[in-house]
Amino acid sequence: MTSTKPPTTPKSGASHAAPAAALHTGTSDPRTLFLGNLRQSGIYVALVVIVALFAVLTDGVSLSPGNITNIVLQYSYILVLAIGMVIVIIGGHIDLSVGSVVALTGAVSAVLVIREGLPWWVGILAALAVGVAVGAWHGLWVAYAGIPAFIVTLAGMLLFRGLTLRVLDNVSLSPFPAEYQRLAAGFLNGLLGGEGFDAFTLFIGAFAVTGYAVSVFRTRVARVRYEQPVESFPLFVARVALVGAVVMYFAWQLAHARGLPIVLIVLAVLVLVYGLLTRRTVFGRQVYAIGGNLPAAMLSGVRVKAVNFWVFVNMGFLSAVAGVIYSSRSNGAQPAAGNMFELDAIAAAFIGGAAVTGGVGTVVGAMVGGLIMAVMSNGMQLMGVDQSVQSVVKGLVLLVAVAFDVYHKRRAAGGR
């Protein structure tokens, strides 16, 4: 008679012993820890290397307070798009229309606020409504008509670009009122005082570090409770301290520039909400299940059509958020706005560890991937690198990231 090992469950009293055990268990072998999570470890190492490289090549200009602030302002809308794009990719789809949707939502907002003279908040609400409607349009065709997302969103890219030209009558509109511009160009400064720096920005940085430390410790306790591998406690403390130091350096630089950008607060809220959505909710798990193994998800009772529909509605909503941020930063709406944004968002998701076949990826990973692209673009601009060379470098980085994903899958499967 063959015996089977029951699934791992917390032992009696383990819920009380786990926090204490979390202080004494784990491995100290860096190679084991790195190779055990090669996909995610690699992007963090790459980000550190790229930041250090451009800091040297630009004589420290890339890490100056003003430049760090500019990176946040210039690439915030791409990071917003990357959040939605990674969820679409996890579900096994792609969205090529987001750049056109950014242009359309910004155009609608500009027509209402600038041409019609309506309040600035009406333009924002209208843009968000248009984005949700576009997402529902895509979701209906993909989820219920069964047309591949590549074709639907390719058609959407052309359709909504044409609608943008019609809405704007093929001319640019500007300027937005000061309240609208403040969303992407405003700062919170002086709320808690500070001599030569903004104390509020430092407080937010310290709050973020504390939240991160509590979150990762709770994750460590849960992994110990279920007898999963973790790093040794000294390495765990070193990791938290390193992340804390990086965040506080970042906050210190912002505090000595113009304070905390409002758009950074918006981005942080979105990362927090969507991080919880993808990791802690039924909907998030269902998206991973659909992208990882569609037949199994269907047999498990997952409402695949409904989940796919809402994935695209969400992408439309985040495209509208990016459209509002972009139009706010550019202080107007242009017919060519959003051109190639979809490729930047897709690149951020793949560089951040998303798998081309779906089922793998994280919101935080997409943010890191987006930051890699942002730091590279900003660094090459500071160095005066020609635009053509910048495109070549970005293309090669994307190719290497996808090749690494393919290699990682073959290695995990024991192939060659």
Side-chain angles (χ1 to χ4, degrees):
M1 181 176 179
T2 304
S3 62
T4 58
K5 184 179 179 179
T8 302
T9 57
K11 298 177 181 178
S12 177
S15 60
H16 301 288
L23 303 177
H24 306 289
T25 59
T27 176
S28 299
D29 183 7
R31 183 175 182 274
T32 300
L33 295 171
F34 182 80
L35 294 178
N37 195 13
L38 186 60
R39 186 195 301 268
Q40 288 299 316
S41 302
I43 62 172
Y44 294 122
V45 172
L47 177 60
V48 171
V49 170
I50 290 172
V51 169
L53 174 65
F54 282 109
V56 173
L57 294 177
T58 61
D59 295 325
V61 175
S62 64
L63 293 180
S64 65
N67 191 63
I68 289 178
T69 299
N70 287 335
I71 291 176
V72 173
L73 298 179
Q74 290 175 4
Y75 298 97
S76 55
Y77 43 88
I78 298 298
L79 296 178
V80 171
L81 289 175
I83 295 173
M85 188 63 72
V86 75
I87 296 174
V88 171
I89 291 173
I90 289 170
H93 305 291
I94 201 73
D95 192 336
L96 302 178
S97 70
V98 296
S100 297
V101 179
V102 166
L104 178 60
T105 52
V108 169
S109 183
V111 167
L112 293 177
V113 176
I114 299 174
R115 183 181 294 171
E116 302 299 329
L118 295 175
W120 61 272
W121 54 267
V122 173
I124 292 178
L125 292 179
L128 296 178
V130 169
V132 170
V134 168
W137 169 264
H138 286 154
L140 287 172
W141 287 105
V142 174
Y144 294 101
I147 300 177
F150 179 89
I151 301 300
V152 172
T153 58
L154 178 61
M157 179 175 67
L158 302 174
L159 171 63
F160 299 120
R161 181 63 65 180
L163 287 178
T164 301
L165 298 176
R166 294 288 295 177
V167 169
L168 292 176
D169 291 330
N170 208 20
V171 296
S172 298
L173 290 178
S174 65
F176 279 108
E179 296 87 352
Y180 193 98
Q181 296 179 47
R182 184 170 168 77
L183 175 63
F187 296 84
L188 296 181
N189 198 331
L191 294 181
L192 297 178
E195 291 292 334
F197 64 93
D198 180 42
F200 178 73
T201 301
L202 296 179
F203 170 77
I204 293 298
F207 180 79
V209 171
T210 302
Y212 170 77
V214 171
S215 175
V216 295
F217 183 74
R218 292 181 62 183
T219 300
R220 176 183 175 86
V221 170
R223 291 179 66 88
V224 170
R225 180 179 298 134
Y226 286 92
E227 301 179 5
Q228 296 178 354
V230 295
E231 74 266 52
S232 65
F233 191 70
L235 284 179
F236 170 79
V237 172
R239 174 164 66 94
V240 173
L242 179 60
V243 171
V246 171
V247 172
M248 290 310 298
Y249 175 81
F250 178 70
W252 180 259
Q253 295 293 69
L254 291 178
H256 282 75
R258 288 174 281 178
L260 188 64
I262 293 176
V263 71
L264 181 60
I265 299 175
V266 174
L267 182 60
V269 170
L270 289 175
V271 170
L272 179 62
V273 170
Y274 281 95
L276 292 174
L277 177 72
T278 53
R279 293 186 293 111
R280 302 292 179 86
T281 68
V282 173
F283 176 80
R285 297 187 186 99
Q286 289 177 341
V287 174
Y288 279 99
I290 291 171
N293 192 326
L294 178 58
M298 296 175 67
L299 290 173
S300 300
V302 175
R303 297 171 60 196
V304 174
K305 292 182 179 179
V307 172
N308 282 334
F309 174 80
W310 288 108
V311 163
F312 280 94
V313 170
N314 177 69
M315 185 73 255
F317 169 75
L318 289 176
S319 297
V321 173
V324 171
I325 292 174
Y326 182 76
S327 60
S328 171
R329 173 162 175 76
S330 60
N331 193 21
Q334 304 84 28
N339 188 34
M340 303 292 285
F341 282 11
E342 58 275 353
L343 299 186
D344 288 332
I346 292 170
F350 283 136
I351 292 172
V356 293
T357 54
V360 176
T362 63
V363 170
V364 173
M367 293 300 95
V368 175
L371 287 174
I372 288 175
M373 297 291 287
V375 171
M376 283 197 309
S377 298
N378 177 263
M380 288 188 288
Q381 290 170 8
L382 292 176
M383 294 171 60
V385 177
D386 188 80
Q387 186 65 41
S388 60
V389 177
Q390 293 186 37
S391 296
V392 170
V393 172
K394 290 179 183 179
L396 290 175
V397 169
L398 176 59
L399 182 61
V400 169
V402 175
F404 178 78
D405 173 63
V406 173
Y407 163 77
H408 179 79
K409 282 188 174 181
R410 288 179 178 175
R411 178 177 172 272
R416 296 182 179 179

